[in-house]
Amino acid sequence: MHPCTREAVVCGLLRIGADEAHERVLAHCLAAGDLYRWRVGALDVLAAVREGR
């Protein structure tokens, strides 16, 4: 899968807002061998959502 496609998929999963979607985003970002800016942004969004719970 092309990196731009991965970014779009991650952003889409974050918009879903379901726990399962967020867990998949978290697993993908943590398994990645690098932290592109968009992955760090995704982790920031997850952290903000979890703080609000």
Side-chain angles (χ1 to χ4, degrees):
M1 184 183 298
H2 190 274
C4 291
T5 304
R6 287 188 188 114
E7 180 178 357
V9 169
V10 165
C11 290
L13 286 171
L14 287 174
R15 286 189 195 105
I16 290 172
D19 286 340
E20 182 181 354
H22 286 179
E23 291 303 319
R24 289 182 182 263
V25 169
L26 182 60
H28 172 74
C29 290
L30 294 178
D34 47 34
L35 286 177
Y36 291 113
R37 186 181 349 197
W38 65 265
R39 285 192 183 121
V40 173
L43 293 173
D44 286 345
V45 169
L46 289 174
V49 167
R50 290 179 180 205
E51 279 182 12
R53 289 186 184 176

